[in-house]
């Protein structure tokens, strides 16, 4: 049997721990046999989990040396510093060729152990910027559900642990076994898009008190119409070059990028809160054509307008639920 060790550290997030525990434990071969043996291990016999309860863990760090795969769940913010013993055990396991994967902010544990240096990695989108700042040698990919580097894997937010584990099962045992594990988890074997679709894209920042504030409000009110650089500069009472320079100084981006971001956010709002067709939403958000809208939306959000609506349109979900 393939041995999976889930490393439980102080402040462990219960869902991050339970998701891989259940997915691997539910997996069955065609003849009904269990291909994985899943065990919890920890530095100490008692671990305080996020949420205030205590876990009793029978196996210590030595269990990592015998594992074929190690899963590192995320920990709550403010958890105690990692001990040298934990970091050494992870480094030794990596040096022995053990497959190691993190769930959500468990990527910070792998990064602190130096296991992500020079590799692509992901984590929850809320923490992606901090991971990139704290560990500049890590190539952080904030828009994906998981990253597979071969021996080292990282997943995004907690639910993405399911995607990553199903991917590992498929890699180990093939698509048929993985598909059955996905059915047991009541989720698709592959989800469309990455975690970009879950990122909250706030309205583009309006620098309060700046001389551009009235112009930015005007742009928001006229997204459905053609808004050119010349028109924006004229309304601001500047030449185009001066306007572009002043705009970047006060907003941190170009006028065109600000405009496109505002239009995508407007489209997201309409997809979430209306039953308008994609063609109509493209027009209301100011895109030149439905094709241009779909291309820009996928580039920014990581999925199609149709898939985004299916996932986030609360009105449609309410109607479906009432039927």
């Amino acid at each position: 049997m393939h041995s999976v060790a889930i490393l439980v550290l102080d402040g462990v997030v219960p869902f991050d721990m339970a998701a891989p525990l259940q997915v691997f434990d539910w997996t069955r071969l065609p003849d009904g046999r269990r291909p994985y043996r899943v065990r919890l291990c920890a530095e100490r016999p008692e671990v305080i989990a996020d949420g205030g309860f205590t876990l009793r863990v029978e196996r210590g760090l030595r269990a990592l040396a015998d594992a074929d795969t190690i899963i590192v769940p995320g920990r709550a913010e403010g958890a105690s510093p990692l001990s040298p013993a934990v970091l050494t055990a992870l480094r030794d396991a990596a040096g022995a060729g053990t497959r190691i994967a993190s769930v959500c902010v468990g990527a910070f544990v792998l990064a602190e152990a130096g296991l992500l240096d020079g590799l692509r990695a992901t984590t929850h989108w809320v923490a992606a910027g901090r991971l990139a700042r704290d560990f500049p040698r890590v190539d952080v990919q904030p828009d994906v559900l998981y990253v597979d580097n071969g021996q080292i894997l990282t997943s995004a937010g907690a639910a993405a642990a399911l995607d990553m584990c199903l991917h590992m099962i498929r890699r180990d045992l093939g698509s048929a076994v993985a598909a059955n594990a996905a059915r047991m988890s009541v989720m698709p074997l592959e989800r469309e898009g990455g975690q970009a679709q879950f990122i909250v894209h706030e309205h583009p920042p309006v620098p309060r008190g700046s001389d551009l504030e009235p112009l930015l409000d005007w742009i928001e009110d006229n997204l459905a119409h053609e808004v050119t650089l010349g028109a924006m500069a004229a309304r601001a009472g500047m030449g185009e070059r001066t306007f572009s320079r002043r705009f970047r100084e006060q907003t941190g981006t170009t006028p065109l990028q600000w405009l496109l971001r505002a239009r995508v956010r407007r489209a997201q709002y309409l997809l979430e809160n209306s039953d308008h067709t994609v063609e109509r939403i493209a027009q209301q958000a100011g895109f030149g054509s439905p094709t241009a809208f779909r291309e820009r939306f996928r580039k920014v959000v990581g999925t199609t307008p149709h898939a985004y609506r299916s996932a986030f349109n609360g009105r449609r979900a309410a109607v479906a639920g009432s039927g």
Side-chain angles (χ1 to χ4, degrees):
M1 296 179 72
H2 184 112
S3 175
V4 178
I6 299 177
L7 177 58
V8 183
L9 301 169
D10 280 335
V12 64
V13 177
F15 187 89
D16 289 9
M17 173 189 68
L21 177 65
Q22 289 298 125
V23 173
F24 285 111
D25 192 54
W26 282 338
T27 303
R28 296 292 185 275
L29 296 174
D31 61 7
R33 288 182 298 122
R34 297 173 181 262
Y36 296 103
R37 181 178 63 250
V38 189
R39 299 289 186 267
L40 300 181
C41 65
E43 185 176 9
R44 294 180 298 277
E46 290 192 352
V47 177
I48 299 176
D50 184 35
F53 60 92
T54 301
L55 295 170
R56 291 283 303 174
V57 183
E58 295 181 359
R59 293 166 180 82
L61 293 180
R62 294 184 62 181
L64 298 183
D66 299 325
D68 300 297
T69 295
I70 297 170
I71 307 288
V72 182
R75 303 196 301 157
E77 188 173 355
S80 58
L82 296 172
S83 72
V86 168
L87 297 175
T88 297
L90 287 171
R91 291 171 186 141
D92 289 347
T98 304
R99 181 170 65 182
I100 302 177
S102 64
V103 177
C104 197
V105 292
F108 284 81
V109 178
L110 302 194
E112 189 167 340
L115 304 186
L116 299 181
D117 288 354
L119 297 180
R120 295 183 306 116
T122 194
T123 187
H124 194 292
W125 60 268
V126 168
R130 180 162 59 92
L131 182 65
R133 289 192 300 272
D134 291 353
F135 301 97
R137 297 184 64 184
V138 180
D139 181 8
V140 179
Q141 307 284 309
D143 295 340
V144 299
L145 294 174
Y146 60 86
V147 173
D148 181 356
N149 292 289
Q151 182 188 0
I152 307 294
L153 299 91
T154 52
S155 69
L162 299 174
D163 299 276
M164 179 183 68
C165 290
L166 290 171
H167 168 74
M168 288 192 285
I169 293 167
R170 180 168 55 183
R171 207 175 82 177
D172 293 342
L173 303 168
S175 295
V177 174
N180 185 62
R183 284 191 291 271
M184 290 296 294
S185 302
V186 196
M187 68 172 294
L189 183 55
E190 290 187 6
R191 282 195 286 168
E192 181 175 356
Q195 66 169 329
Q197 61 190 298
F198 304 104
I199 297 175
V200 179
H201 294 277
E202 301 292 348
H203 285 290
V206 178
R208 299 301 174 189
S210 78
D211 55 5
L212 290 180
E213 184 177 349
L215 169 68
L216 300 181
D217 290 339
W218 174 81
I219 295 173
E220 288 276 8
D221 292 338
N222 289 274
L223 291 175
H225 304 102
E226 182 180 6
V227 180
T228 65
L229 176 63
M232 288 187 280
R235 192 167 188 87
M238 307 177 196
E240 290 187 13
R241 293 182 61 181
T242 300
F243 170 72
S244 295
R245 184 178 68 254
R246 185 75 59 81
F247 195 97
R248 181 179 283 278
E249 289 172 353
Q250 296 193 24
T251 67
T253 188
T254 67
L256 177 59
Q257 289 301 316
W258 198 95
L259 175 63
L260 288 174
R261 184 179 172 192
R263 283 178 165 157
V264 168
R265 184 67 191 93
R266 175 68 56 81
Q268 286 180 293
Y269 176 83
L270 293 170
L271 288 167
E272 293 169 14
N273 296 281
S274 79
D275 291 323
H276 299 167
T277 64
V278 169
E279 289 73 17
R280 183 177 177 188
I281 290 175
Q283 183 180 27
Q284 291 174 308
F287 291 92
S289 68
T291 299
F293 167 51
R294 290 186 178 94
E295 291 177 354
R296 173 57 58 174
F297 193 88
R298 178 179 278 279
K299 183 175 181 180
V300 173
V301 184
T303 190
T304 65
H306 176 75
Y308 185 88
R309 164 170 275 167
S310 297
F312 296 103
N313 189 305
R315 293 178 61 188
R316 291 196 172 190
V319 171
S322 64

